Amino acid sequence: MFQTAELGQKVSKNEFKQRELILRESLLELQRALREDGSFPVMIDFGGVRGGGKGTTTNLLNKWMDASYIETHAYGTPSDEERERPYWWRFWRDLPPRGHIGINLSGRYSRPLLDYVYGNSDLETYLHQLEQIRAFETALADDGALILKFWMHVRAEVQKKRLEALENDPLNRWRVSPEDWTHYEMYDRFIEAAEIAVSRTNTGDAPWEIVEGADYHYRSLRVGELLQDALQRHLRKVHIQRKYLDELHSEAKARDEGHESNGGSVQSLTILDALDLSLKIPKKAYRRQVAQLQARLNQLHMEAAHRNLSVLLVFEGPDAAGKSGALRRIIEALDARWYKVHPFSAPTDEENAHHYLWRFWRCIPRRGRVTLFDRSWYGRVLVERIEGFANDMEWRRSYAEINNFEETLVDHGIVLLKFWIHISKEEQLARFKAREETPYKRWKLTEEDWRNRARWEDYSVAAHRMIQATDKQSAPWVLVEGNDKYHARVKVLDAICQALERATID
Amino acid sequence: MFQTAELGQKVSKNEFKQRELILRESLLELQRALREDGSFPVMIDFGGVRGGGKGTTTNLLNKWMDASYIETHAYGTPSDEERERPYWWRFWRDLPPRGHIGINLSGRYSRPLLDYVYGNSDLETYLHQLEQIRAFETALADDGALILKFWMHVRAEVQKKRLEALENDPLNRWRVSPEDWTHYEMYDRFIEAAEIAVSRTNTGDAPWEIVEGADYHYRSLRVGELLQDALQRHLRKVHIQRKYLDELHSEAKARDEGHESNGGSVQSLTILDALDLSLKIPKKAYRRQVAQLQARLNQLHMEAAHRNLSVLLVFEGPDAAGKSGALRRIIEALDARWYKVHPFSAPTDEENAHHYLWRFWRCIPRRGRVTLFDRSWYGRVLVERIEGFANDMEWRRSYAEINNFEETLVDHGIVLLKFWIHISKEEQLARFKAREETPYKRWKLTEEDWRNRARWEDYSVAAHRMIQATDKQSAPWVLVEGNDKYHARVKVLDAICQALERATID
């Protein structure tokens, strides 16, 4: 594999200067086209042993193009902030927005590779991590991202010579650390680990390019020209794809007009129809139970925080189902320094410039926190599906993306519960009317609420399918009968307490 | 997850009869459209506990549609033939051709799931197997296949009642095996394993549908209508996609006309240029060495066969590089009962009706065999890439597919070596001319050889990239300097002996 980058490729200084000019102009032009198109980000990743030119090439790309639209991230030891969150958090946080270029040094491959090289993880773990990387890249590529990965290769002898030359130069001695020599001694192990990584993650959507890194001129032009070629190709592809997606989408829309699109008309019942909405708790019993549950929740939360367990609570359901009321009863039991509520409505421009999961990744808490999501990533398969903001292929593949996302959270030790608070269509109408008539509640009722109500059956079918696809023991949906608010609040509090009890059992 | 299929959905016999008529007509129409389109196969998989109606629904689909174009496969205990090959072999072998429908009962999910349920594999192994299934499905979906997976669900009580009813009926008693009752006892474990499988492999391209299996009428209509909906959608998608690909492809072709498309023009050398083609062995030394190596190979092969190790040898390289000559020297050392040579040229109609890897999977040998591939799956990234038989996206993603395929073989204990026998452009011309002048060799030279020769540089660049992407310690490329046939043959024989020695060391 790496022998293909040990050929002694060289470009003379003169030739370099000539070609650099042409290349630079072309890259600037393409960067402008990328910004104008604005539909996808470019993600560049540099890997390779020390001395392959990762850093200098990154600097050169920043110099060649307009650096205002390039974000460079180098990943060293994770910060406290980062360690307390899943491994993927920092990579999601740093994703470039559409129209921009992100460059990663020692990025997502770095820690799994080093762990394997140092013998801190076995082959099975390493392969599993590479698999997760592949899933991450697929999710972004499916969303349109252009992903390029360069492995900058130099032979061991070249690496040695370069380190020695730096050490012999008083002005550059500081650039060589003892770690560099340790890694040099482990050269073969690095190459073995790199070969595994490259062969397992060299996909059509996120290809690796192995670049001979010994000659500055050659490697710089090679990376630049590969980027140029890939950008050209991607812009063209995206352009043609857009026409085709428009056609596909509008045809599908015409076909589904006024007809639920969940495939087949035989499904008459949804899981929501099976809920017994007559369930009730008398006011007095409610007051007592809530007080008890809140005391229990407070205790359990302290215990969970002590164990560094975070809790993530997701609330979905029809408008006016009582989400806010339930949220409030939870919050009352917690200290404001330890919880955070994130309400979600239509995404902002900044959020829209990223993968749909990006805005939720930003809210993943540090250890020991309680985070409440008032609406969530499930919007993808509810409102976005129904209103056509996500096309057929997008919402259909998002069940897998969401399951993968949630597994990452759960693997990190986060307790994750998802609540669907449900009411009947009649109950919703009654509540809407009550809101209209109560001055201080009127603001809560919007045009959108009425529009959503008109698509009640579509939402039921979408919710049914969502629950079918994403209800897991590790991240269950709790279906809450909400016609009686007291019953709903007690059921929610009780479910949280039970989950925390299970999680804090030794 | 499965609670969505415990709602007691029912359809009356009368309603069923009415809707069945409409559905059947529609399915037949769609099946004809599928055959006419002829560009993709439909793969239907049934999973679920006993009593969910997998078998009866399969029979019904065969009855509703034209059974001549439906292939049903039920997978029990693997046969000898199957056990001696990688797990995936039997599923590849049975893939339906484009335009046909394949139905699998107890298919690719069955063994991993049962192993996990019975405790014969741990969670990590199970997840790894599911990951392999995902890769398998992705490769086929990328190739256009419509993949549908139905999980036929019934509650434990329903399952019990059904088994008891069968047992109490003298005519049907034979249908219930002790295993059925064992599985009933393990119901919860099945559901847990199924939830993991469904949540990990419920992708946009190969979705799971959980179907409530208790009522014959409901479940039959539900499966039929889901199939109808998916087929309609897929046919429409394929139709629009074809236009898009044509446009993309013709634009790319126009752009690349007369210009190598490997991205950037800076790469001047290929790995093939680095070969020292002046390497030579005198005739006398050659005779002695070949005899010695053949004796050694014979011994080593017997030893490998004794250990059930298979050997797979792949030969690629320019026309007239000496592949057949090298092949012959290997074969001379082996017993004809134990080896097989598969020459590959343009695919047949039947082969073209399948995924490009299908024709190679068919040739995967039983244990202890030596199999020689004269040209191989690497045609995908050589001739198919260069002649445009595989489009840009197809050949770019095939490196990952090929690596995955080869890992499956190596994991099964197959020794895999890939030889690139190389000659200079001048040497090729000399050999072509010699062929023209030698009557009994003239047939070996075709128009195609001259056409390939005209694209020598494209082939070099494609081979370079291929070696970069697919050279792995577990399945290495051996680059053979072929200008001197003696040297080439000795190097090939020696490499095989060395690989076998490594593989047969205790």
Coordinates of all heavy atoms in Angstrom, one line a residue, chain A residues 1 3-4 9 19 124 131 134 195 200 209 222 225 229 232-233 236 243-244 247 251 255 263 265-267 269 396 407 465 468 471-473, chain B residues 1 3-4 9 19 124 131 134 195 200 209 222 225 229 232-233 236 240 243 247 251 255 263 265-267 269 396 407 465 468 471-473:
Chain A
M1 N 0.8 -1.2 0.0 CA 0.0 0.0 0.0 C 0.9 1.3 0.0 O 0.8 2.1 -0.9 CB -0.9 0.0 1.3 CG -1.8 1.2 1.4 SD -2.9 0.9 2.8 CE -4.2 -0.2 2.1
Q3 N 4.1 1.4 -0.4 CA 5.1 1.4 -1.4 C 4.8 2.3 -2.6 O 5.7 2.7 -3.3 CB 5.4 -0.1 -1.9 CG 4.1 -0.8 -2.3 CD 4.4 -2.2 -2.7 OE1 5.5 -2.6 -3.2 NE2 3.4 -3.1 -2.5
T4 N 3.5 2.5 -2.8 CA 3.2 3.4 -4.0 C 3.6 4.9 -3.7 O 3.5 5.7 -4.6 CB 1.6 3.4 -4.2 OG1 1.0 3.7 -3.0 CG2 1.2 2.1 -4.7
Q9 N 9.3 10.7 -5.9 CA 8.6 11.7 -6.8 C 9.2 13.1 -6.4 O 9.3 13.4 -5.2 CB 7.1 11.7 -6.6 CG 6.5 10.3 -6.8 CD 5.7 10.2 -8.0 OE1 6.0 10.8 -9.0 NE2 4.7 9.3 -8.0
R19 N 3.6 25.9 -11.8 CA 2.3 25.2 -11.6 C 1.6 25.7 -10.4 O 0.3 25.7 -10.3 CB 2.6 23.7 -11.4 CG 3.0 23.1 -12.8 CD 3.6 21.8 -12.6 NE 2.6 20.8 -12.3 CZ 2.9 19.5 -12.3 NH1 4.1 19.0 -12.6 NH2 1.9 18.6 -12.0
E124 N -9.7 -5.9 17.7 CA -11.2 -5.9 17.7 C -11.7 -4.5 18.0 O -12.6 -4.0 17.3 CB -11.7 -6.9 18.6 CG -13.1 -7.5 18.2 CD -13.4 -8.8 18.9 OE1 -13.2 -8.9 20.1 OE2 -13.9 -9.7 18.2
E131 N -15.0 1.3 12.4 CA -16.4 1.2 11.9 C -17.2 2.4 12.3 O -18.0 2.9 11.5 CB -16.9 -0.1 12.5 CG -18.3 -0.5 12.0 CD -18.3 -0.3 10.5 OE1 -17.5 -0.8 9.7 OE2 -19.3 0.4 10.1
R134 N -16.3 5.2 10.0 CA -17.0 5.0 8.7 C -18.4 5.5 8.8 O -18.9 6.2 7.9 CB -16.9 3.5 8.3 CG -17.2 3.3 6.9 CD -17.8 1.9 6.6 NE -18.9 1.6 7.6 CZ -20.1 2.1 7.6 NH1 -20.4 3.0 6.6 NH2 -21.0 1.8 8.5
E195 N -2.2 0.9 7.6 CA -2.7 0.1 6.6 C -4.1 -0.4 6.9 O -5.0 -0.4 6.0 CB -1.8 -1.1 6.3 CG -2.2 -1.9 5.1 CD -1.5 -3.2 5.0 OE1 -0.3 -3.2 4.8 OE2 -2.2 -4.3 5.2
R200 N -9.8 -0.1 5.6 CA -11.1 -0.3 6.1 C -12.0 0.9 5.9 O -13.2 0.9 6.0 CB -11.1 -0.5 7.6 CG -10.4 -1.8 8.0 CD -11.4 -3.0 8.0 NE -10.6 -4.2 8.2 CZ -11.2 -5.3 8.6 NH1 -12.4 -5.4 8.9 NH2 -10.4 -6.4 8.7
E209 N -6.2 9.3 0.1 CA -5.2 9.4 -1.0 C -3.8 9.3 -0.2 O -3.6 10.1 0.7 CB -5.3 10.8 -1.6 CG -6.6 11.0 -2.4 CD -6.6 10.3 -3.7 OE1 -5.6 9.7 -4.1 OE2 -7.7 10.4 -4.4
R222 N 0.6 17.9 -5.3 CA -0.2 16.7 -5.4 C -1.5 16.9 -4.6 O -2.6 16.6 -5.1 CB 0.6 15.5 -4.9 CG -0.2 14.2 -4.9 CD -0.2 13.5 -6.2 NE -1.0 12.2 -6.2 CZ -1.8 11.9 -7.2 NH1 -1.9 12.6 -8.3 NH2 -2.4 10.7 -7.1
E225 N -3.7 19.5 -6.3 CA -4.3 19.1 -7.5 C -5.4 18.1 -7.2 O -6.4 18.0 -7.9 CB -3.3 18.6 -8.5 CG -2.4 19.8 -8.9 CD -1.5 19.5 -10.1 OE1 -1.4 18.3 -10.5 OE2 -0.7 20.4 -10.5
D229 N -9.2 18.6 -8.2 CA -10.0 17.6 -9.0 C -11.3 17.2 -8.3 O -12.3 17.1 -8.9 CB -9.1 16.4 -9.3 CG -9.7 15.4 -10.2 OD1 -9.8 15.8 -11.4 OD2 -10.1 14.3 -9.8
Q232 N -13.9 20.0 -8.2 CA -14.6 20.2 -9.5 C -15.6 19.1 -9.7 O -16.7 19.4 -10.1 CB -13.5 20.0 -10.6 CG -12.9 21.3 -11.1 CD -11.7 21.1 -12.0 OE1 -11.3 20.0 -12.2 NE2 -11.1 22.2 -12.5
R233 N -15.2 17.9 -9.4 CA -16.1 16.7 -9.7 C -17.3 16.9 -8.8 O -18.5 16.6 -9.2 CB -15.4 15.4 -9.4 CG -15.7 14.3 -10.3 CD -14.8 13.2 -10.1 NE -14.6 12.9 -8.7 CZ -13.4 12.7 -8.2 NH1 -12.3 12.8 -8.9 NH2 -13.2 12.5 -6.9
R236 N -19.8 19.6 -9.8 CA -20.6 19.2 -11.0 C -21.7 18.1 -10.6 O -22.8 18.2 -11.0 CB -19.6 18.5 -12.0 CG -20.1 18.6 -13.4 CD -19.0 18.2 -14.3 NE -18.6 16.8 -14.1 CZ -17.3 16.4 -13.9 NH1 -16.3 17.3 -13.9 NH2 -17.1 15.1 -13.7
K243 N -30.9 18.8 -9.7 CA -32.0 18.7 -10.7 C -32.8 17.4 -10.5 O -34.0 17.3 -10.5 CB -31.4 18.7 -12.1 CG -30.9 20.0 -12.5 CD -30.7 20.1 -14.0 CE -29.6 19.2 -14.5 NZ -29.3 19.3 -15.9
Y244 N -32.0 16.3 -10.3 CA -32.6 15.0 -10.2 C -33.4 14.8 -9.0 O -34.5 14.3 -9.0 CB -31.5 14.0 -10.4 CG -31.5 12.8 -9.5 CD1 -32.3 11.7 -9.9 CD2 -30.8 12.7 -8.4 CE1 -32.3 10.5 -9.1 CE2 -30.7 11.6 -7.6 CZ -31.5 10.5 -7.9 OH -31.5 9.4 -7.2
E247 N -36.7 16.7 -9.2 CA -37.6 16.0 -10.0 C -38.3 14.8 -9.2 O -39.5 14.6 -9.2 CB -36.9 15.4 -11.3 CG -37.9 14.8 -12.3 CD -37.2 14.3 -13.5 OE1 -36.0 14.7 -13.8 OE2 -37.8 13.5 -14.2
E251 N -42.2 14.7 -7.9 CA -43.0 13.6 -8.4 C -43.6 12.9 -7.2 O -44.8 12.5 -7.2 CB -42.2 12.7 -9.3 CG -43.0 12.1 -10.4 CD -42.3 11.0 -11.1 OE1 -41.2 11.4 -11.8 OE2 -42.7 9.9 -11.0
R255 N -47.6 12.6 -5.9 CA -48.2 11.3 -5.8 C -48.8 11.1 -4.4 O -49.8 10.5 -4.2 CB -47.1 10.2 -6.0 CG -47.7 8.8 -6.3 CD -46.6 7.9 -6.6 NE -46.9 6.6 -6.0 CZ -46.5 6.2 -4.8 NH1 -45.7 7.0 -4.1 NH2 -46.8 5.0 -4.4
G263 N -46.6 3.8 3.2 CA -46.6 2.5 2.4 C -47.8 1.7 2.7 O -47.9 1.1 3.8
S265 N -52.1 1.0 2.6 CA -53.1 1.7 3.3 C -53.7 0.7 4.4 O -54.7 1.1 5.1 CB -54.2 2.1 2.4 OG -54.6 1.0 1.5
V266 N -53.2 -0.5 4.5 CA -53.8 -1.5 5.3 C -53.6 -1.2 6.8 O -54.4 -1.6 7.6 CB -53.3 -2.9 5.0 CG1 -51.9 -3.1 5.4 CG2 -54.2 -3.9 5.7
Q267 N -52.5 -0.4 7.1 CA -52.3 -0.1 8.5 C -53.4 0.8 9.0 O -53.3 2.0 8.7 CB -50.9 0.4 8.8 CG -50.8 1.0 10.2 CD -49.4 1.0 10.6 OE1 -48.5 0.5 10.0 NE2 -49.2 1.6 11.7
L269 N -54.5 1.0 12.5 CA -54.2 1.4 13.8 C -52.7 1.9 14.0 O -51.9 1.3 13.3 CB -54.4 0.3 14.8 CG -55.8 -0.2 15.0 CD1 -55.8 -1.5 15.9 CD2 -56.7 0.8 15.7
R396 N -35.8 8.6 5.5 CA -35.8 7.2 5.6 C -34.4 6.7 6.2 O -34.4 5.7 6.9 CB -36.0 6.5 4.2 CG -37.5 6.4 3.9 CD -37.8 5.9 2.5 NE -39.1 6.1 2.1 CZ -40.2 5.4 2.4 NH1 -40.0 4.3 3.1 NH2 -41.4 5.7 2.0
E407 N -26.8 5.5 20.3 CA -25.9 4.5 20.8 C -24.6 5.1 21.3 O -24.0 4.7 22.3 CB -25.5 3.4 19.7 CG -26.6 2.3 19.7 CD -26.7 1.7 18.3 OE1 -25.8 1.9 17.5 OE2 -27.8 1.2 18.0
R465 N -44.2 4.9 13.1 CA -43.0 4.3 12.4 C -41.7 4.7 13.2 O -40.8 4.0 13.3 CB -42.9 4.9 11.0 CG -42.0 4.0 10.2 CD -41.7 4.6 8.8 NE -40.5 4.0 8.3 CZ -40.5 3.0 7.5 NH1 -41.6 2.5 7.0 NH2 -39.4 2.5 7.1
Q468 N -41.4 2.5 16.1 CA -41.0 1.2 15.7 C -39.5 1.1 15.4 O -38.9 0.1 15.8 CB -41.8 0.8 14.4 CG -41.5 -0.5 13.8 CD -42.4 -0.9 12.7 OE1 -42.1 -0.8 11.5 NE2 -43.7 -1.3 13.0
D471 N -37.2 2.7 19.1 CA -37.5 2.3 20.5 C -36.5 1.1 20.8 O -36.6 0.1 20.2 CB -38.9 1.8 20.7 CG -39.2 1.4 22.1 OD1 -38.8 2.0 23.0 OD2 -39.9 0.3 22.2
K472 N -35.6 1.4 21.8 CA -34.6 0.4 22.1 C -34.5 0.3 23.6 O -34.7 1.3 24.3 CB -33.2 0.8 21.6 CG -33.1 0.8 20.1 CD -32.0 1.8 19.7 CE -32.4 3.2 19.9 NZ -31.5 4.2 19.3
Q473 N -34.2 -0.9 24.1 CA -34.0 -1.0 25.6 C -33.1 0.0 26.1 O -33.3 0.5 27.2 CB -33.5 -2.4 25.9 CG -34.7 -3.5 25.9 CD -34.1 -4.8 26.3 OE1 -33.3 -5.0 27.2 NE2 -34.6 -5.9 25.7
Chain B
M1 N -40.1 -1.2 20.5 CA -40.0 -1.5 19.1 C -41.1 -2.4 18.6 O -41.9 -2.1 17.7 CB -38.6 -2.1 18.8 CG -38.4 -2.4 17.4 SD -36.6 -2.9 17.2 CE -35.8 -1.3 17.1
Q3 N -43.7 -3.4 20.3 CA -45.0 -3.1 20.8 C -45.8 -2.4 19.7 O -47.1 -2.5 19.7 CB -44.9 -2.1 22.0 CG -44.0 -0.9 21.7 CD -43.8 0.0 22.9 OE1 -44.7 0.1 23.8 NE2 -42.7 0.7 23.0
T4 N -45.2 -1.9 18.7 CA -45.9 -1.3 17.6 C -46.6 -2.4 16.8 O -47.4 -2.1 15.9 CB -45.0 -0.5 16.6 OG1 -43.9 -1.4 16.2 CG2 -44.5 0.7 17.3
Q9 N -54.2 -5.8 15.2 CA -54.7 -5.4 13.9 C -55.3 -6.6 13.2 O -54.8 -7.7 13.2 CB -53.5 -4.9 13.0 CG -52.6 -3.9 13.7 CD -52.8 -2.5 13.1 OE1 -53.8 -2.1 12.5 NE2 -51.7 -1.7 13.2
R19 N -59.7 -6.5 -1.2 CA -58.4 -5.8 -1.4 C -57.3 -6.7 -2.0 O -56.4 -6.2 -2.7 CB -57.9 -5.3 0.0 CG -58.8 -4.1 0.5 CD -58.6 -3.8 1.9 NE -57.3 -3.2 2.1 CZ -57.0 -2.6 3.3 NH1 -57.8 -2.6 4.3 NH2 -55.8 -2.1 3.4
E124 N -20.3 -8.5 21.3 CA -19.3 -7.9 20.4 C -19.3 -8.7 19.1 O -19.3 -8.0 18.0 CB -17.9 -7.9 21.1 CG -17.0 -6.8 20.6 CD -15.9 -6.6 21.5 OE1 -15.3 -7.6 22.0 OE2 -15.6 -5.4 21.8
E131 N -22.6 -5.9 11.5 CA -21.9 -4.9 10.7 C -21.5 -5.5 9.3 O -21.6 -4.8 8.3 CB -20.6 -4.5 11.4 CG -19.8 -3.4 10.9 CD -20.7 -2.3 10.4 OE1 -21.6 -1.8 11.1 OE2 -20.6 -2.0 9.2
R134 N -24.6 -5.4 7.2 CA -24.8 -4.1 6.7 C -23.9 -3.8 5.5 O -24.4 -3.2 4.5 CB -24.5 -3.0 7.8 CG -25.1 -1.7 7.6 CD -24.3 -0.6 8.2 NE -22.9 -0.7 8.0 CZ -22.2 -0.5 6.9 NH1 -22.9 -0.1 5.8 NH2 -20.9 -0.7 6.8
E195 N -34.2 -7.0 18.5 CA -34.2 -5.5 18.6 C -32.8 -5.0 18.3 O -32.7 -4.0 17.6 CB -34.5 -5.1 20.1 CG -34.7 -3.6 20.2 CD -34.7 -3.2 21.7 OE1 -35.7 -3.5 22.3 OE2 -33.7 -2.6 22.1
R200 N -29.7 -1.9 14.4 CA -28.4 -1.7 13.8 C -28.4 -1.8 12.3 O -27.5 -1.3 11.7 CB -27.4 -2.8 14.3 CG -27.2 -2.8 15.8 CD -26.1 -1.7 16.2 NE -26.0 -1.6 17.6 CZ -24.9 -1.2 18.2 NH1 -23.9 -0.8 17.6 NH2 -24.9 -1.0 19.5
E209 N -39.2 -3.6 8.2 CA -40.6 -3.3 8.5 C -41.1 -4.4 9.5 O -41.0 -5.6 9.2 CB -41.5 -3.4 7.2 CG -41.1 -2.5 6.1 CD -41.6 -1.1 6.4 OE1 -42.4 -0.9 7.4 OE2 -41.3 -0.2 5.6
R222 N -50.6 -6.3 4.5 CA -49.6 -5.4 4.9 C -48.3 -5.6 4.2 O -47.7 -4.7 3.6 CB -49.4 -5.5 6.5 CG -48.3 -4.6 7.0 CD -48.9 -3.2 7.3 NE -47.8 -2.3 7.8 CZ -47.7 -1.0 7.4 NH1 -48.5 -0.5 6.6 NH2 -46.7 -0.3 7.9
E225 N -48.8 -4.8 0.5 CA -48.9 -3.3 0.2 C -47.6 -2.6 0.4 O -47.3 -1.7 -0.3 CB -50.0 -2.7 1.0 CG -51.4 -3.3 0.5 CD -52.6 -2.6 1.2 OE1 -52.5 -1.8 2.0 OE2 -53.7 -3.0 0.8
D229 N -45.7 -0.6 -2.5 CA -45.3 0.8 -2.3 C -43.8 0.9 -2.6 O -43.3 1.9 -3.3 CB -45.6 1.2 -0.9 CG -45.4 2.7 -0.7 OD1 -46.1 3.5 -1.3 OD2 -44.4 3.1 0.1
Q232 N -43.0 0.5 -6.4 CA -43.4 1.7 -7.2 C -42.3 2.8 -7.0 O -41.9 3.4 -7.9 CB -44.7 2.2 -6.6 CG -45.9 1.7 -7.4 CD -47.2 2.0 -6.6 OE1 -47.2 2.6 -5.5 NE2 -48.3 1.6 -7.2
R233 N -42.0 3.0 -5.7 CA -41.0 4.1 -5.4 C -39.7 3.8 -6.1 O -39.0 4.7 -6.6 CB -40.9 4.2 -3.9 CG -40.7 5.6 -3.4 CD -40.8 5.7 -1.9 NE -40.1 4.7 -1.3 CZ -40.5 3.8 -0.4 NH1 -41.7 4.0 0.1 NH2 -39.8 2.9 0.1
R236 N -39.6 4.3 -9.9 CA -39.6 5.7 -10.2 C -38.2 6.3 -10.0 O -37.6 7.0 -10.8 CB -40.6 6.4 -9.4 CG -41.2 7.6 -10.0 CD -42.3 8.1 -9.1 NE -41.9 8.4 -7.8 CZ -42.5 8.0 -6.7 NH1 -43.6 7.2 -6.7 NH2 -42.1 8.4 -5.5
I240 N -35.5 7.9 -12.8 CA -34.9 9.3 -12.7 C -33.4 9.2 -12.6 O -32.6 10.0 -13.2 CB -35.6 10.1 -11.6 CG1 -37.1 10.2 -11.9 CG2 -35.0 11.5 -11.5 CD1 -37.9 10.9 -10.9
K243 N -31.4 8.8 -15.7 CA -31.1 10.1 -16.5 C -30.0 10.9 -15.9 O -29.1 11.4 -16.6 CB -32.4 10.9 -16.4 CG -33.5 10.4 -17.3 CD -34.6 11.4 -17.5 CE -35.4 11.7 -16.2 NZ -36.5 12.6 -16.4
E247 N -26.3 11.8 -17.6 CA -25.9 13.1 -17.7 C -24.5 13.3 -17.1 O -23.6 13.9 -17.6 CB -26.9 14.1 -17.1 CG -26.6 15.5 -17.4 CD -27.7 16.5 -16.8 OE1 -28.8 16.0 -16.5 OE2 -27.4 17.7 -16.7
E251 N -21.0 14.0 -19.2 CA -20.3 15.2 -18.9 C -18.9 14.9 -18.5 O -17.9 15.5 -18.9 CB -21.0 16.0 -17.8 CG -21.0 17.5 -18.1 CD -21.5 18.3 -16.9 OE1 -22.7 18.2 -16.7 OE2 -20.7 18.9 -16.3
R255 N -15.3 15.7 -20.5 CA -14.2 16.4 -19.8 C -12.9 15.7 -19.8 O -11.8 16.2 -19.9 CB -14.7 16.7 -18.3 CG -13.9 17.8 -17.7 CD -14.5 18.1 -16.3 NE -13.5 18.4 -15.4 CZ -12.9 17.5 -14.6 NH1 -13.2 16.3 -14.6 NH2 -11.9 17.9 -13.8
G263 N -7.0 12.4 -11.2 CA -7.0 13.6 -10.3 C -5.6 14.2 -10.3 O -4.7 13.7 -9.7
S265 N -2.4 16.3 -12.3 CA -1.5 15.9 -13.3 C -0.1 15.7 -12.8 O 0.8 15.4 -13.5 CB -1.5 16.8 -14.5 OG -1.3 18.2 -14.0
V266 N 0.1 16.0 -11.5 CA 1.4 16.1 -10.9 C 2.0 14.7 -10.8 O 3.2 14.6 -10.7 CB 1.4 16.9 -9.6 CG1 0.7 16.1 -8.5 CG2 2.8 17.1 -9.1
Q267 N 1.2 13.7 -10.7 CA 1.8 12.3 -10.5 C 2.4 11.9 -11.8 O 1.8 11.5 -12.7 CB 0.7 11.3 -10.0 CG 1.2 9.9 -10.1 CD 0.5 9.0 -9.2 OE1 -0.3 9.4 -8.4 NE2 0.8 7.7 -9.3
L269 N 5.2 9.6 -11.9 CA 5.7 8.2 -11.8 C 4.6 7.3 -11.2 O 3.8 7.7 -10.4 CB 6.9 8.1 -10.8 CG 8.2 8.7 -11.2 CD1 9.2 8.7 -10.1 CD2 8.7 8.0 -12.5
R396 N -15.0 4.0 -8.0 CA -14.4 4.6 -6.8 C -14.8 3.9 -5.5 O -14.0 3.8 -4.6 CB -14.7 6.1 -6.7 CG -13.9 7.0 -7.6 CD -14.3 8.4 -7.6 NE -13.7 9.1 -8.7 CZ -12.5 9.7 -8.6 NH1 -11.8 9.6 -7.6 NH2 -12.0 10.3 -9.7
E407 N -11.3 -9.5 2.7 CA -11.2 -9.8 4.2 C -12.0 -11.0 4.6 O -11.7 -11.8 5.4 CB -11.6 -8.5 5.0 CG -10.5 -7.6 5.2 CD -11.0 -6.1 5.3 OE1 -12.2 -5.9 5.6 OE2 -10.2 -5.2 5.0
R465 N -3.1 3.2 -8.6 CA -4.2 3.5 -7.6 C -4.8 2.2 -7.0 O -5.1 2.2 -5.8 CB -5.3 4.3 -8.3 CG -6.1 5.0 -7.2 CD -7.3 5.7 -7.8 NE -8.2 5.9 -6.7 CZ -8.3 7.1 -6.0 NH1 -7.7 8.1 -6.4 NH2 -9.2 7.2 -5.0
Q468 N -2.3 0.9 -4.5 CA -2.3 1.8 -3.3 C -3.5 1.4 -2.4 O -3.4 1.4 -1.2 CB -2.4 3.2 -3.8 CG -2.5 4.2 -2.7 CD -2.4 5.7 -3.2 OE1 -3.4 6.4 -3.3 NE2 -1.2 6.1 -3.6
D471 N -3.5 -3.1 -1.5 CA -2.4 -3.9 -1.1 C -2.4 -4.0 0.4 O -2.3 -3.0 1.1 CB -1.1 -3.2 -1.6 CG 0.1 -4.0 -1.2 OD1 0.1 -5.2 -1.2 OD2 1.1 -3.3 -0.7
K472 N -2.6 -5.2 1.0 CA -2.7 -5.3 2.4 C -1.8 -6.5 2.8 O -1.6 -7.5 2.1 CB -4.1 -5.7 2.8 CG -5.1 -4.6 2.6 CD -6.5 -5.1 2.4 CE -6.6 -5.9 1.0 NZ -8.0 -6.3 0.7
Q473 N -1.3 -6.5 4.0 CA -0.5 -7.6 4.5 C -1.2 -8.9 4.4 O -0.6 -9.9 4.1 CB 0.0 -7.4 5.9 CG 1.1 -6.4 6.1 CD 1.6 -6.2 7.5 OE1 1.6 -7.2 8.3 NE2 1.9 -5.0 7.9

